[in-house]
């Protein structure tokens, strides 16, 4: 059994490899639905809002994947601690195990923080690849936490023509820190990183908007953004949360989710829009999921540059983590990465 720490995983897991791995998984699921099994994740709220702790979550996420030769089980255990940035710790902590189902042997135990960030970002990258206008020049990052970091990396990976990145965070310091760190780590991207004091300033000219916040109310209206643009929303992972306003949801010509079952229970933006008496959008208006988009089962409008506003909503699923964890486990076996525990 190999122990793969965060440094090892970060060094050997590239964004492009993650995007390719998840696209491969989506095709596998479409061709062989019974080869991928991922029950709905268990979510337990931790604490109640008080003077010492904000409400967080603990998640248990198991999945099995048969690749045509071998079947694996991957289990991710996640704890989300909203107060951790003040402790100089990541908001999300996670660990993943990968087992060989033929004999039950645990092949690897790995840090899951980076995998969680990268696979979440890769989903946004894939959605951007298929849904965003072809002539994108700018992206707005709304919420500059850990998830937003790799989310921007993914969007730039699939849209290397982007030249301007607008940054907005509830604290200016958070946006400034994001800018400095991203410019240092990803200096290969020739982009102009602009910190904005007002949210409206960040989003008004953006061709793509990345959302990764814990907001409980819609952050902007359709009138405040371009009519032909794309939104990736990865925050609002509980029914009580909401980043995308009902107005934006109603005006979106295409809405795609990563997980059809999970989103009906966890995607606060869409749940609240469906339930609102003054909102016309319902689950019947959902365009489809990422699998249908990637495999071509969900037909896109012919003129991508003039198809209106599009929205991708992600809450995550264990199968995505499993596919990436299995990939890095196989890589570790091939290259003898990590530390042998026993």
């Amino acid at each position: 059994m190999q122990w793969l720490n965060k440094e090892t995983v970060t060094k050997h897991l590239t964004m492009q490899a993650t995007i390719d791995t998840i696209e491969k998984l989506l095709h596998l699921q479409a061709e062989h639905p019974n080869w991928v099994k991922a029950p709905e994740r268990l979510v337990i709220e931790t604490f109640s809002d008080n003077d010492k702790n904000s409400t967080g979550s603990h998640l248990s996420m198991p999945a099995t994947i048969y690749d045509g030769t071998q079947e694996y089980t991957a289990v991710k255990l996640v704890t989300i601690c909203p107060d951790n940035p003040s402790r100089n710790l990541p908001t999300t902590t996670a660990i993943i195990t990968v087992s060989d189902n033929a004999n039950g042997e645990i092949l690897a135990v790995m840090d899951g923080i980076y995998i969680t960030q990268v696979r979440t970002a890769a989903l946004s990258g894939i959605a951007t690849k298929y849904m965003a206008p072809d002539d994108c020049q700018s992206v707005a990052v709304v919420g500059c936490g850990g998830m937003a970091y790799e989310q921007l990396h993914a969007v730039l990976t699939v849209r290397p023509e982007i030249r301007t990145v607008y940054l907005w965070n509830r604290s200016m310091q958070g946006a400034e820190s994001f800018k400095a760190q991203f410019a240092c780590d990803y200096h290969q991207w020739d982009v102009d990183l602009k910190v904005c004091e007002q949210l409206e300033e960040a989003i008004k000219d953006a061709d793509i908007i990345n959302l990764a916040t814990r907001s409980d109310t819609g952050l902007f209206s359709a009138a405040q953004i371009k009519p032909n643009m794309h939104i990736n929303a990865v925050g609002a992972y509980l029914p009580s949360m909401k980043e995308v306003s009902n107005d934006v949801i109603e005006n979106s010509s295409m809405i795609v989710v990563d997980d059809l079952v999970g989103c009906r229970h966890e995607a606060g933006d869409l749940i609240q829009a469906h339930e609102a008496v003054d909102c016309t959008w319902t689950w019947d208006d959902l365009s489809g999921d990422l699998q249908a988009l990637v495999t071509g089962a969900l037909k896109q409008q012919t003129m991508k540059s003039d198809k209106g506003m599009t929205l991708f909503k992600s809450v995550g699923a264990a199968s995505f983590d499993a596919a990436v964890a299995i990939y890095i486990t196989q890589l570790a076996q091939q290259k003898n990465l990590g530390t042998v525990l026993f």
Side-chain angles (χ1 to χ4, degrees):
M1 179 169 65
Q2 302 293 110
W3 162 244
L4 307 173
N5 62 20
K6 185 179 180 181
E7 289 71 26
T8 300
V9 175
T10 302
K11 180 178 179 180
H12 296 279
L13 180 62
T14 67
M15 182 59 70
Q16 189 60 60
T18 306
I19 289 172
D20 294 342
T21 296
I22 293 178
E23 286 210 55
K24 182 179 178 181
L25 170 72
L26 295 171
H27 283 283
L28 182 71
Q29 285 179 305
E31 295 166 8
H32 304 283
N34 294 329
W35 287 13
V36 180
K37 300 173 184 177
E40 188 175 351
R41 64 191 181 184
L42 174 66
V43 181
I44 303 172
E45 284 198 18
T46 58
F47 297 109
S48 297
D49 277 318
N50 55 55
D51 293 338
K52 294 183 178 179
N53 295 287
S54 298
T55 301
S57 308
H58 176 77
L59 297 77
S60 301
M61 303 172 64
T64 62
I65 296 178
Y66 176 60
D67 61 10
T69 302
Q70 189 171 356
E71 185 181 73
Y72 302 88
T73 290
V75 180
K76 186 174 80 165
L77 300 176
V78 187
T79 303
I80 300 173
C81 301
D83 300 318
N84 267 2
S86 65
R87 306 180 180 110
N88 199 29
L89 294 171
T91 301
T92 302
T93 62
I95 194 167
I96 303 174
T97 64
V98 176
S99 306
D100 181 348
N101 284 356
N103 55 22
E105 178 187 3
I106 297 178
L107 303 175
V109 179
M110 66 194 73
D111 182 274
I113 296 175
Y114 189 66
I115 287 178
T116 301
Q117 293 174 342
V118 173
R119 72 89 162 131
T120 301
L123 297 173
S124 290
I126 293 168
T128 299
K129 173 181 173 182
Y130 289 91
M131 298 175 72
D134 291 327
D135 57 350
C136 293
Q137 295 295 310
S138 62
V139 56
V141 175
V142 177
C144 296
M147 288 297 178
Y149 197 77
E150 295 302 332
Q151 193 183 21
L152 176 57
H153 181 192
V155 168
L156 293 177
T157 297
V158 300
R159 285 287 193 265
E161 69 274 14
I162 287 174
R163 290 293 172 263
T164 306
V165 177
Y166 302 103
L167 305 173
W168 181 84
N169 196 63
R170 291 193 185 276
S171 73
M172 286 287 288
Q173 182 181 357
E176 292 288 358
S177 296
F178 183 102
K179 175 181 177 179
Q181 191 65 50
F182 196 88
C184 176
D185 291 347
Y186 294 113
H187 52 79
Q188 72 270 30
W189 300 113
D190 182 20
V191 294
D192 182 14
L193 297 163
K194 298 182 177 181
V195 172
C196 301
E197 291 190 20
Q198 302 298 324
L199 174 59
E200 294 79 3
E201 180 187 356
I203 62 176
K204 65 178 182 179
D205 295 320
D207 297 308
I208 300 169
I209 298 176
N210 287 346
L211 298 175
T213 75
R214 288 173 51 84
S215 176
D216 59 6
T217 186
L219 295 170
F220 50 82
S221 69
Q224 293 176 291
I225 56 180
K226 296 173 71 171
N228 295 311
M229 53 82 64
H230 173 69
I231 299 170
N232 295 308
V234 305
Y237 55 87
L238 293 175
S240 59
M241 297 178 178
K242 188 173 182 64
E243 300 180 301
V244 186
S245 67
N246 292 348
D247 173 48
V248 169
I249 292 170
E250 286 179 311
N251 281 278
S252 295
S253 63
M254 179 183 290
I255 298 178
V256 172
V257 299
D258 60 344
D259 180 59
L260 290 171
V261 175
C263 275
R264 283 182 176 261
H265 297 289
E266 299 171 20
D269 316 271
L270 302 182
I271 292 170
Q272 293 180 46
H274 171 80
E275 295 176 348
V277 295
D278 59 347
C279 179
T280 61
W281 189 89
T282 70
W283 287 112
D284 292 336
D285 298 313
L286 185 69
S287 302
D289 63 4
L290 202 60
Q291 176 183 301
L293 184 69
V294 169
T295 60
L298 177 60
K299 300 300 181 183
Q300 303 169 67
Q301 296 183 27
T302 304
M303 297 299 291
K304 289 185 67 179
S305 61
D306 189 33
K307 66 180 180 181
M309 194 184 307
T310 60
L311 169 64
F312 171 64
K313 176 61 188 177
S314 173
V315 296
S319 57
F320 302 132
D321 297 287
V324 178
I326 291 167
Y327 165 80
I328 202 70
T329 296
Q330 293 171 334
L331 193 65
Q333 291 175 324
Q334 295 166 10
K335 298 187 175 183
N336 195 29
L337 305 177
T339 303
V340 177
L341 295 182
F342 56 82

